[in-house]
Every structure is written in structure tokens, then in C-alpha cells.
Amino acid sequence: MESVFGYISVLPGAFSAFRWDAIRGEPLSAYFFVEEHNLLELGPFLANLYLAEDRVLCFEVLAKRGRRWTLHYEAGAIAYTDVPGNLVELIKQRRRWLNGSFFSLVYYVSKFHRFAAGSHSLWRKASLHIQFVHQFTTMVLNWFMIGTLYLSFTVIYLSTFGTADALTGELRYLFDLAYFSLMCLQVISGLGGKATNVHQIYYVSSLSFGAIMLVALGLSLWAAVESVENDDGTLRWWLILAVASTFMGYGVAGVLHGELLAIVTNFAQYLFMLPTFINMFSAYSFCNMHDISWGTKEGNLTNERRRGGHGRGGGDAG
């Protein structure tokens, strides 16, 4: 979608092509700003912002004074990457990505006026303002995502069992206690030490969150089936359409991108891991904003140590 508006918020530095005229000057200076300054002296905002310096480069290219550069996605391009091999590596990677993307999004929102004052056409500025509304809404929703997920589980529970039965109240109390205990455990683990030292906690927590998600999904489907008929025996078509559209959206997206088989074979895993990405990774990331290291590959960590006080050294890679 971003490619349609002409501004892609992030183009991976290892797999992107820029015109030299587009990045020369201010964009390239902003990109290498982190190489010329000690991150420990920049403060928490800039230090976390430059965990995603490729996002800064994309912003600066589009906001370049006196020019009308745009960024677009090339569907025919193919890249191969080295993915995290286990949950602990994924936690470390997501910490850098989540913190970098969040702070870069705040930077984008605070500096958006540079787009409005730029040299882009009236139509381009209008489309960028539409995209700004979407990005700003995303930033706000991301901040409340953990609470939103909990409320979703609570609504599913109440709509399935109701509130009148005494046993239902006890079950809800047990659910709230278990859920909040898991969330407190994420905060304590995130603040208390390296992910490698408490990896058992994260594995158990991920399995627990996944089980809660699957149970909630089963309850919601059961509630939908039980409520599909009115008292007079007629079907509630609005409910059928709502449930169908929820799952059909994924199928339509898979067909459009030619990845329907991947959607079908990985949908259960996606749902199982969704609370882990929202709850566990978000809690760990915000509990470790002081960590400005890359935190994943040993080669990167060696380079950080060799650079001493400059670059992404000084962080806790655990």
C-alpha cells in the first residue's frame, strides 16, 4: 500500500537501490549520522531511532528540499535472508526492530511538516497526508495493542459464557489472574536480565499465550455457530458475513500475492504466535530501550566492540 502513495517507510539497506542524486547530501548525512557520533551521548530517543537508520534514510529522501523523489516497491525482486533460529534470537531481533520502528514512527509524525513544505505536487501531498493519518493511527494503536488484545480475549469469554453463572465468575477470575501473572512475568524478565539467561521462561510463556489464543479462537467459533440462528429459526446473515469476511480477508490477500498455499499452511502457526509477538516481544522491547546494540549476530557484536564508544556499542546484547 505504501508504494501507491510514493513513500515506503522502510527499505532494507541490504536490498534497496537508490539514485545517487536522491541520497546525496542531507539523506546520506542523516544515514551516516550514527557513525559520526557516540550513541551513548545522543540520548534515548536518537539512540533508538538510529536502530532503524534505513527508515531515517527513506524519510530524508522524500523530504529532500527542492526535489520530488518517491519510493516504490519492486514486486519482481527476490531476496534471501538469514532468519532467527530460535525464540531467543527472535526476541533479540524484535527488540531492535520494534524499538527502532516505533521511534522512527514518532520521528516521522513530528517531522511530517517537512513533506507539506516540500516541492511535491499537490496530488502527492494530498496522498501523503492520507498516509500520515494511517501512520499516526498505527502508532496510537500499537501503543495500546497489549491492552486491546486482553480486551479481545475478555469480550470473547463474556460473549461465550455470559456473566450470570457463579462458575463463570470464578473462571474469569482465574483467567485474569493467569493472564496478568504472565504479563507481569514478561516485565520482570525483561527488566531483570538477558533473554538467554531466562529462555525457559520465554518458551513457557509463548506456549501459554498460544494456548490462550487457540482456546479463545475455539470459543469464538463455537459462540458464532450457536448464535447463527435467530429465535424464529432464521439465519443471522450479518453474523455469517462478519465471520466469513474475517477469514476471507487473509485468503484474498494470499490469492493477490500468489501465496495462498503459504497462508493456508501457516495460518494456525500465525494465530498461535500472535500473542507472543504482541505481548512478549513488546514488553521485552520497551523494557530494554537502554539496549542500543544489534543484539543478534555475533559478527555485528564483534564490530560493535571494535568500534568502541561509537556506533551501537554499550548495549546489552542479551
Side-chain angles (χ1 to χ4, degrees):
M1 184 186 71
E2 289 183 335
S3 183
V4 175
F5 293 104
Y7 171 60
I8 300 179
S9 58
V10 55
L11 290 173
F15 195 66
S16 300
F18 296 91
R19 295 182 184 272
W20 172 247
D21 288 342
I23 63 175
R24 182 172 54 186
E26 294 181 5
L28 210 57
S29 298
Y31 183 78
F32 286 111
F33 177 83
V34 67
E35 303 294 338
E36 301 170 354
H37 296 79
N38 189 337
L39 281 178
L40 300 179
E41 299 174 356
L42 294 180
F45 180 82
L46 287 179
N48 281 278
L49 170 65
Y50 276 95
L51 289 174
E53 71 274 20
D54 44 3
R55 293 177 179 267
V56 177
L57 178 63
C58 291
F59 178 89
E60 294 295 335
V61 166
L62 213 74
K64 192 173 185 179
R65 291 177 293 182
R67 306 307 294 266
R68 296 184 175 185
W69 299 113
T70 56
L71 304 172
H72 297 281
Y73 168 69
E74 174 53 55
I78 299 175
Y80 297 91
T81 185
D82 185 13
V83 301
N86 53 60
L87 182 62
V88 174
E89 289 185 5
L90 183 59
I91 290 174
K92 296 177 183 179
Q93 181 207 63
R94 296 308 300 177
R95 185 268 308 163
R96 176 172 64 87
W97 283 15
L98 287 175
N99 286 347
S101 61
F102 179 80
F103 281 90
S104 64
L105 189 55
V106 174
Y107 177 82
Y108 160 82
V109 170
S110 64
K111 301 293 184 180
F112 180 78
H113 60 87
R114 293 176 55 189
F115 287 169
S119 303
H120 290 283
S121 65
L122 182 61
W123 178 89
R124 180 70 62 187
K125 289 181 179 180
S127 64
L128 290 174
H129 276 80
I130 296 174
Q131 187 176 5
F132 171 81
V133 174
H134 173 265
Q135 297 280 38
F136 180 78
T137 304
T138 299
M139 183 183 69
V140 174
L141 291 178
N142 285 343
W143 185 256
F144 295 101
M145 190 172 294
I146 293 179
T148 302
L149 181 63
Y150 166 73
L151 289 177
S152 300
F153 287 145
T154 302
V155 169
I156 291 173
Y157 182 88
L158 292 178
S159 63
T160 303
F161 294 105
T163 58
D165 188 78
L167 181 60
T168 300
E170 295 176 358
L171 290 175
R172 183 186 175 187
Y173 173 79
L174 291 176
F175 168 76
D176 289 342
L177 180 62
Y179 198 89
F180 280 109
S181 297
L182 279 173
M183 288 307 306
C184 290
L185 187 61
Q186 306 315 304
V187 176
I188 295 173
S189 300
L191 294 173
K194 298 181 178 180
T196 51
N197 294 338
V198 290
H199 63 276
Q200 298 95 337
I201 292 178
Y202 287 118
Y203 278 107
V204 172
S205 298
S206 180
L207 292 174
S208 301
F209 280 129
I212 291 174
M213 182 66 183
L214 293 182
V215 170
L217 179 62
L219 290 176
S220 61
L221 292 177
W222 176 75
V225 172
E226 290 293 318
S227 305
V228 74
E229 290 187 358
N230 292 307
D231 295 336
D232 58 0
T234 59
L235 296 178
R236 296 179 177 177
W237 288 106
W238 64 268
L239 180 60
I240 296 176
L241 291 175
V243 175
S245 62
T246 300
F247 293 97
M248 286 180 60
Y250 293 97
V252 172
V255 171
L256 293 177
H257 290 276
E259 297 290 345
L260 181 59
L261 180 61
I263 294 293
V264 173
T265 56
N266 294 282
F267 191 64
Q269 297 94 310
Y270 163 76
L271 292 177
F272 185 86
M273 291 297 296
L274 186 61
T276 296
F277 274 77
I278 294 177
N279 292 333
M280 183 187 301
F281 295 165
S282 298
Y284 181 83
S285 299
F286 283 105
C287 286
N288 287 273
M289 286 191 295
H290 63 284
D291 186 353
I292 52 177
S293 67
W294 284 83
T296 49
K297 301 303 178 184
E298 292 301 326
N300 290 333
L301 299 179
T302 301
N303 291 334
E304 291 169 9
R305 298 189 185 100
R306 184 171 62 248
R307 287 159 61 182
H310 290 79
R312 292 187 176 81
D316 180 5

Short mmCIF file of all heavy atoms in Angstrom, two decimals, residues 171-219:
data_model
loop_
_atom_site.label_atom_id
_atom_site.label_comp_id
_atom_site.label_asym_id
_atom_site.label_seq_id
_atom_site.Cartn_x
_atom_site.Cartn_y
_atom_site.Cartn_z
N LEU A 171 -14.19 -18.71 36.83
CA LEU A 171 -13.32 -18.98 35.69
C LEU A 171 -12.70 -17.70 35.15
O LEU A 171 -11.53 -17.67 34.78
CB LEU A 171 -14.11 -19.69 34.58
CG LEU A 171 -14.54 -21.12 34.87
CD1 LEU A 171 -15.40 -21.65 33.74
CD2 LEU A 171 -13.32 -22.03 35.08
N ARG A 172 -13.51 -16.64 35.11
CA ARG A 172 -12.96 -15.37 34.64
C ARG A 172 -11.89 -14.86 35.59
O ARG A 172 -10.88 -14.30 35.15
CB ARG A 172 -14.08 -14.34 34.51
CG ARG A 172 -13.57 -13.02 33.96
CD ARG A 172 -14.61 -11.93 33.94
NE ARG A 172 -14.03 -10.68 33.50
CZ ARG A 172 -14.66 -9.52 33.52
NH1 ARG A 172 -15.89 -9.46 33.97
NH2 ARG A 172 -14.07 -8.42 33.11
N TYR A 173 -12.09 -15.02 36.89
CA TYR A 173 -11.08 -14.61 37.86
C TYR A 173 -9.78 -15.38 37.64
O TYR A 173 -8.68 -14.79 37.67
CB TYR A 173 -11.60 -14.83 39.28
CG TYR A 173 -10.55 -14.59 40.35
CD1 TYR A 173 -10.23 -13.30 40.74
CD2 TYR A 173 -9.89 -15.67 40.95
CE1 TYR A 173 -9.26 -13.07 41.72
CE2 TYR A 173 -8.92 -15.45 41.92
CZ TYR A 173 -8.61 -14.15 42.30
OH TYR A 173 -7.66 -13.92 43.25
N LEU A 174 -9.88 -16.68 37.41
CA LEU A 174 -8.69 -17.49 37.16
C LEU A 174 -7.99 -17.06 35.87
O LEU A 174 -6.76 -17.00 35.81
CB LEU A 174 -9.06 -18.97 37.10
CG LEU A 174 -9.51 -19.61 38.42
CD1 LEU A 174 -9.94 -21.06 38.18
CD2 LEU A 174 -8.39 -19.57 39.46
N PHE A 175 -8.79 -16.75 34.85
CA PHE A 175 -8.20 -16.29 33.59
C PHE A 175 -7.47 -14.97 33.79
O PHE A 175 -6.34 -14.80 33.33
CB PHE A 175 -9.29 -16.13 32.54
CG PHE A 175 -8.84 -15.39 31.31
CD1 PHE A 175 -8.03 -16.02 30.37
CD2 PHE A 175 -9.20 -14.06 31.11
CE1 PHE A 175 -7.59 -15.34 29.25
CE2 PHE A 175 -8.77 -13.38 29.99
CZ PHE A 175 -7.96 -14.02 29.05
N ASP A 176 -8.12 -14.02 34.46
CA ASP A 176 -7.48 -12.72 34.70
C ASP A 176 -6.20 -12.88 35.50
O ASP A 176 -5.17 -12.25 35.20
CB ASP A 176 -8.44 -11.78 35.43
CG ASP A 176 -9.58 -11.32 34.53
OD1 ASP A 176 -9.44 -11.43 33.30
OD2 ASP A 176 -10.60 -10.85 35.08
N LEU A 177 -6.24 -13.74 36.51
CA LEU A 177 -5.07 -13.95 37.36
C LEU A 177 -3.92 -14.55 36.55
O LEU A 177 -2.77 -14.09 36.64
CB LEU A 177 -5.43 -14.87 38.52
CG LEU A 177 -4.29 -15.19 39.51
CD1 LEU A 177 -3.80 -13.93 40.18
CD2 LEU A 177 -4.76 -16.21 40.55
N ALA A 178 -4.23 -15.56 35.74
CA ALA A 178 -3.18 -16.20 34.94
C ALA A 178 -2.63 -15.24 33.89
O ALA A 178 -1.41 -15.17 33.67
CB ALA A 178 -3.75 -17.46 34.27
N TYR A 179 -3.51 -14.48 33.26
CA TYR A 179 -3.08 -13.58 32.19
C TYR A 179 -2.20 -12.46 32.74
O TYR A 179 -1.13 -12.16 32.19
CB TYR A 179 -4.30 -13.00 31.48
CG TYR A 179 -4.00 -12.41 30.12
CD1 TYR A 179 -4.06 -13.19 28.98
CD2 TYR A 179 -3.66 -11.06 29.98
CE1 TYR A 179 -3.79 -12.68 27.73
CE2 TYR A 179 -3.40 -10.53 28.73
CZ TYR A 179 -3.46 -11.34 27.61
OH TYR A 179 -3.19 -10.81 26.38
N PHE A 180 -2.64 -11.84 33.82
CA PHE A 180 -1.85 -10.76 34.40
C PHE A 180 -0.55 -11.28 35.01
O PHE A 180 0.46 -10.57 35.01
CB PHE A 180 -2.67 -10.00 35.45
CG PHE A 180 -3.63 -9.02 34.86
CD1 PHE A 180 -4.99 -9.26 34.88
CD2 PHE A 180 -3.19 -7.85 34.25
CE1 PHE A 180 -5.89 -8.37 34.33
CE2 PHE A 180 -4.07 -6.95 33.69
CZ PHE A 180 -5.43 -7.20 33.72
N SER A 181 -0.57 -12.49 35.50
CA SER A 181 0.68 -13.08 36.01
C SER A 181 1.68 -13.28 34.88
O SER A 181 2.88 -13.01 35.04
CB SER A 181 0.38 -14.43 36.69
OG SER A 181 -0.45 -14.25 37.81
N LEU A 182 1.19 -13.74 33.74
CA LEU A 182 2.06 -13.88 32.57
C LEU A 182 2.63 -12.54 32.13
O LEU A 182 3.81 -12.43 31.80
CB LEU A 182 1.30 -14.53 31.42
CG LEU A 182 1.16 -16.05 31.45
CD1 LEU A 182 0.24 -16.51 30.31
CD2 LEU A 182 2.51 -16.73 31.32
N MET A 183 1.80 -11.50 32.13
CA MET A 183 2.28 -10.19 31.71
C MET A 183 3.27 -9.60 32.70
O MET A 183 4.28 -9.01 32.31
CB MET A 183 1.09 -9.23 31.54
CG MET A 183 0.22 -9.52 30.33
SD MET A 183 1.17 -9.62 28.78
CE MET A 183 2.03 -8.05 28.79
N CYS A 184 3.01 -9.79 33.99
CA CYS A 184 3.98 -9.34 34.99
C CYS A 184 5.30 -10.09 34.85
O CYS A 184 6.39 -9.51 35.02
CB CYS A 184 3.41 -9.54 36.40
SG CYS A 184 2.05 -8.43 36.82
N LEU A 185 5.22 -11.35 34.50
CA LEU A 185 6.42 -12.15 34.29
C LEU A 185 7.23 -11.60 33.12
O LEU A 185 8.47 -11.61 33.16
CB LEU A 185 6.03 -13.61 34.05
CG LEU A 185 7.18 -14.62 33.97
CD1 LEU A 185 7.96 -14.65 35.29
CD2 LEU A 185 6.63 -16.01 33.66
N GLN A 186 6.55 -11.11 32.07
CA GLN A 186 7.26 -10.54 30.93
C GLN A 186 8.02 -9.28 31.34
O GLN A 186 9.17 -9.07 30.92
CB GLN A 186 6.28 -10.21 29.79
CG GLN A 186 5.41 -11.35 29.34
CD GLN A 186 6.17 -12.65 29.16
OE1 GLN A 186 7.14 -12.71 28.41
NE2 GLN A 186 5.72 -13.68 29.85
N VAL A 187 7.40 -8.45 32.14
CA VAL A 187 8.05 -7.21 32.58
C VAL A 187 9.23 -7.52 33.48
O VAL A 187 10.32 -6.95 33.32
CB VAL A 187 7.03 -6.30 33.30
CG1 VAL A 187 7.73 -5.06 33.85
CG2 VAL A 187 5.91 -5.90 32.35
N ILE A 188 9.04 -8.43 34.43
CA ILE A 188 10.13 -8.78 35.35
C ILE A 188 11.29 -9.40 34.60
O ILE A 188 12.46 -9.08 34.83
CB ILE A 188 9.61 -9.73 36.45
CG1 ILE A 188 8.58 -9.02 37.32
CG2 ILE A 188 10.76 -10.26 37.30
CD1 ILE A 188 7.88 -9.92 38.32
N SER A 189 10.98 -10.31 33.66
CA SER A 189 12.03 -10.96 32.88
C SER A 189 12.74 -9.96 31.98
O SER A 189 13.96 -10.01 31.81
CB SER A 189 11.45 -12.09 32.04
OG SER A 189 10.82 -13.06 32.85
N GLY A 190 11.98 -9.03 31.41
CA GLY A 190 12.58 -8.04 30.53
C GLY A 190 13.49 -7.08 31.26
O GLY A 190 14.54 -6.69 30.75
N LEU A 191 13.11 -6.71 32.46
CA LEU A 191 13.93 -5.79 33.25
C LEU A 191 15.04 -6.48 34.02
O LEU A 191 16.05 -5.86 34.35
CB LEU A 191 13.05 -5.03 34.26
CG LEU A 191 12.02 -4.06 33.69
CD1 LEU A 191 11.13 -3.53 34.81
CD2 LEU A 191 12.71 -2.90 32.97
N GLY A 192 14.86 -7.77 34.26
CA GLY A 192 15.75 -8.44 35.20
C GLY A 192 17.01 -9.05 34.63
O GLY A 192 17.95 -9.32 35.37
N GLY A 193 17.09 -9.30 33.33
CA GLY A 193 18.29 -9.95 32.83
C GLY A 193 18.25 -10.20 31.35
O GLY A 193 17.33 -9.76 30.65
N LYS A 194 19.26 -10.90 30.86
CA LYS A 194 19.35 -11.21 29.45
C LYS A 194 18.36 -12.29 29.07
O LYS A 194 18.03 -13.17 29.85
CB LYS A 194 20.77 -11.66 29.11
CG LYS A 194 21.86 -10.62 29.37
CD LYS A 194 23.22 -11.15 28.98
CE LYS A 194 24.30 -10.11 29.20
NZ LYS A 194 25.65 -10.62 28.82
N ALA A 195 17.93 -12.24 27.83
CA ALA A 195 16.95 -13.22 27.34
C ALA A 195 17.53 -14.63 27.36
O ALA A 195 16.81 -15.60 27.61
CB ALA A 195 16.50 -12.86 25.93
N THR A 196 18.84 -14.75 27.11
CA THR A 196 19.46 -16.08 27.10
C THR A 196 19.46 -16.72 28.48
O THR A 196 19.47 -17.94 28.60
CB THR A 196 20.90 -15.97 26.58
OG1 THR A 196 21.60 -14.95 27.31
CG2 THR A 196 20.91 -15.61 25.10
N ASN A 197 19.45 -15.90 29.52
CA ASN A 197 19.50 -16.44 30.88
C ASN A 197 18.14 -16.89 31.39
O ASN A 197 18.07 -17.65 32.37
CB ASN A 197 20.07 -15.40 31.84
CG ASN A 197 21.52 -15.07 31.55
OD1 ASN A 197 22.24 -15.86 30.93
ND2 ASN A 197 21.97 -13.90 31.97
N VAL A 198 17.07 -16.41 30.77
CA VAL A 198 15.72 -16.78 31.21
C VAL A 198 14.93 -17.35 30.03
O VAL A 198 13.71 -17.15 29.93
CB VAL A 198 14.99 -15.55 31.81
CG1 VAL A 198 15.60 -15.15 33.14
CG2 VAL A 198 15.02 -14.38 30.84
N HIS A 199 15.62 -18.05 29.14
CA HIS A 199 14.95 -18.53 27.93
C HIS A 199 13.84 -19.52 28.25
O HIS A 199 12.86 -19.62 27.50
CB HIS A 199 15.98 -19.16 26.98
CG HIS A 199 16.66 -20.37 27.54
ND1 HIS A 199 17.77 -20.27 28.37
CD2 HIS A 199 16.40 -21.70 27.42
CE1 HIS A 199 18.17 -21.49 28.71
NE2 HIS A 199 17.35 -22.37 28.15
N GLN A 200 13.96 -20.28 29.36
CA GLN A 200 12.90 -21.21 29.71
C GLN A 200 11.59 -20.47 29.98
O GLN A 200 10.50 -20.94 29.61
CB GLN A 200 13.28 -22.04 30.94
CG GLN A 200 14.50 -22.92 30.73
CD GLN A 200 15.77 -22.23 31.22
OE1 GLN A 200 15.82 -21.00 31.31
NE2 GLN A 200 16.78 -23.03 31.55
N ILE A 201 11.69 -19.32 30.63
CA ILE A 201 10.50 -18.53 30.93
C ILE A 201 9.81 -18.09 29.65
O ILE A 201 8.58 -18.15 29.53
CB ILE A 201 10.87 -17.30 31.79
CG1 ILE A 201 11.33 -17.76 33.18
CG2 ILE A 201 9.70 -16.34 31.90
CD1 ILE A 201 11.76 -16.62 34.09
N TYR A 202 10.60 -17.69 28.67
CA TYR A 202 10.01 -17.21 27.42
C TYR A 202 9.38 -18.34 26.62
O TYR A 202 8.34 -18.14 25.97
CB TYR A 202 11.06 -16.48 26.59
CG TYR A 202 11.42 -15.12 27.15
CD1 TYR A 202 12.70 -14.82 27.58
CD2 TYR A 202 10.44 -14.13 27.27
CE1 TYR A 202 13.01 -13.58 28.10
CE2 TYR A 202 10.74 -12.89 27.80
CZ TYR A 202 12.03 -12.62 28.21
OH TYR A 202 12.33 -11.38 28.73
N TYR A 203 9.98 -19.51 26.65
CA TYR A 203 9.38 -20.64 25.94
C TYR A 203 8.05 -21.03 26.58
O TYR A 203 7.06 -21.27 25.88
CB TYR A 203 10.34 -21.83 25.94
CG TYR A 203 11.40 -21.76 24.87
CD1 TYR A 203 12.72 -21.49 25.19
CD2 TYR A 203 11.08 -21.98 23.53
CE1 TYR A 203 13.70 -21.42 24.20
CE2 TYR A 203 12.05 -21.91 22.54
CZ TYR A 203 13.35 -21.64 22.88
OH TYR A 203 14.31 -21.55 21.91
N VAL A 204 8.01 -21.10 27.91
CA VAL A 204 6.77 -21.45 28.61
C VAL A 204 5.71 -20.37 28.39
O VAL A 204 4.53 -20.67 28.15
CB VAL A 204 7.05 -21.66 30.11
CG1 VAL A 204 5.73 -21.84 30.87
CG2 VAL A 204 7.94 -22.88 30.32
N SER A 205 6.13 -19.11 28.45
CA SER A 205 5.18 -18.01 28.25
C SER A 205 4.61 -18.03 26.84
O SER A 205 3.41 -17.80 26.65
CB SER A 205 5.88 -16.67 28.51
OG SER A 205 6.34 -16.58 29.84
N SER A 206 5.45 -18.29 25.85
CA SER A 206 4.98 -18.34 24.47
C SER A 206 3.96 -19.45 24.27
O SER A 206 2.92 -19.26 23.63
CB SER A 206 6.16 -18.54 23.52
OG SER A 206 5.74 -18.59 22.18
N LEU A 207 4.23 -20.62 24.84
CA LEU A 207 3.28 -21.73 24.75
C LEU A 207 1.98 -21.39 25.47
O LEU A 207 0.89 -21.73 24.99
CB LEU A 207 3.90 -22.99 25.34
CG LEU A 207 5.07 -23.61 24.57
CD1 LEU A 207 5.68 -24.76 25.35
CD2 LEU A 207 4.63 -24.08 23.18
N SER A 208 2.07 -20.71 26.61
CA SER A 208 0.87 -20.35 27.37
C SER A 208 0.03 -19.34 26.60
O SER A 208 -1.20 -19.48 26.51
CB SER A 208 1.27 -19.77 28.73
OG SER A 208 2.02 -20.71 29.48
N PHE A 209 0.67 -18.32 26.06
CA PHE A 209 -0.07 -17.33 25.27
C PHE A 209 -0.71 -17.97 24.04
O PHE A 209 -1.84 -17.65 23.66
CB PHE A 209 0.86 -16.19 24.84
CG PHE A 209 1.12 -15.17 25.90
CD1 PHE A 209 2.42 -14.80 26.23
CD2 PHE A 209 0.08 -14.57 26.57
CE1 PHE A 209 2.66 -13.86 27.21
CE2 PHE A 209 0.30 -13.61 27.56
CZ PHE A 209 1.61 -13.26 27.87
N GLY A 210 0.03 -18.88 23.42
CA GLY A 210 -0.52 -19.57 22.25
C GLY A 210 -1.72 -20.41 22.59
O GLY A 210 -2.72 -20.44 21.84
N ALA A 211 -1.67 -21.09 23.74
CA ALA A 211 -2.81 -21.90 24.16
C ALA A 211 -4.03 -21.03 24.44
O ALA A 211 -5.16 -21.38 24.07
CB ALA A 211 -2.44 -22.70 25.41
N ILE A 212 -3.81 -19.88 25.07
CA ILE A 212 -4.92 -18.95 25.33
C ILE A 212 -5.55 -18.48 24.03
O ILE A 212 -6.77 -18.39 23.89
CB ILE A 212 -4.42 -17.74 26.15
CG1 ILE A 212 -4.04 -18.18 27.57
CG2 ILE A 212 -5.47 -16.64 26.20
CD1 ILE A 212 -3.41 -17.09 28.41
N MET A 213 -4.70 -18.22 23.03
CA MET A 213 -5.20 -17.75 21.74
C MET A 213 -6.04 -18.83 21.05
O MET A 213 -7.12 -18.53 20.51
CB MET A 213 -4.01 -17.37 20.85
CG MET A 213 -4.41 -16.83 19.49
SD MET A 213 -5.27 -15.23 19.65
CE MET A 213 -5.68 -14.89 17.94
N LEU A 214 -5.57 -20.06 21.06
CA LEU A 214 -6.31 -21.14 20.41
C LEU A 214 -7.63 -21.41 21.11
O LEU A 214 -8.65 -21.66 20.47
CB LEU A 214 -5.45 -22.40 20.36
CG LEU A 214 -4.20 -22.33 19.47
CD1 LEU A 214 -3.47 -23.67 19.48
CD2 LEU A 214 -4.58 -21.93 18.05
N VAL A 215 -7.64 -21.36 22.44
CA VAL A 215 -8.89 -21.55 23.19
C VAL A 215 -9.87 -20.43 22.88
O VAL A 215 -11.07 -20.67 22.66
CB VAL A 215 -8.59 -21.62 24.70
CG1 VAL A 215 -9.90 -21.57 25.50
CG2 VAL A 215 -7.83 -22.88 25.04
N ALA A 216 -9.35 -19.18 22.84
CA ALA A 216 -10.22 -18.05 22.52
C ALA A 216 -10.79 -18.17 21.11
O ALA A 216 -11.96 -17.86 20.88
CB ALA A 216 -9.44 -16.74 22.67
N LEU A 217 -9.97 -18.63 20.19
CA LEU A 217 -10.45 -18.82 18.82
C LEU A 217 -11.54 -19.89 18.76
O LEU A 217 -12.57 -19.72 18.10
CB LEU A 217 -9.29 -19.20 17.90
CG LEU A 217 -9.63 -19.45 16.43
CD1 LEU A 217 -10.18 -18.18 15.79
CD2 LEU A 217 -8.41 -19.95 15.67
N GLY A 218 -11.32 -21.00 19.47
CA GLY A 218 -12.32 -22.05 19.51
C GLY A 218 -13.62 -21.59 20.14
O GLY A 218 -14.71 -21.89 19.64
N LEU A 219 -13.53 -20.82 21.23
CA LEU A 219 -14.73 -20.31 21.88
C LEU A 219 -15.49 -19.34 20.99
O LEU A 219 -16.73 -19.34 20.95
CB LEU A 219 -14.35 -19.62 23.20
CG LEU A 219 -13.86 -20.52 24.33
CD1 LEU A 219 -13.44 -19.69 25.52
CD2 LEU A 219 -14.93 -21.53 24.74
#
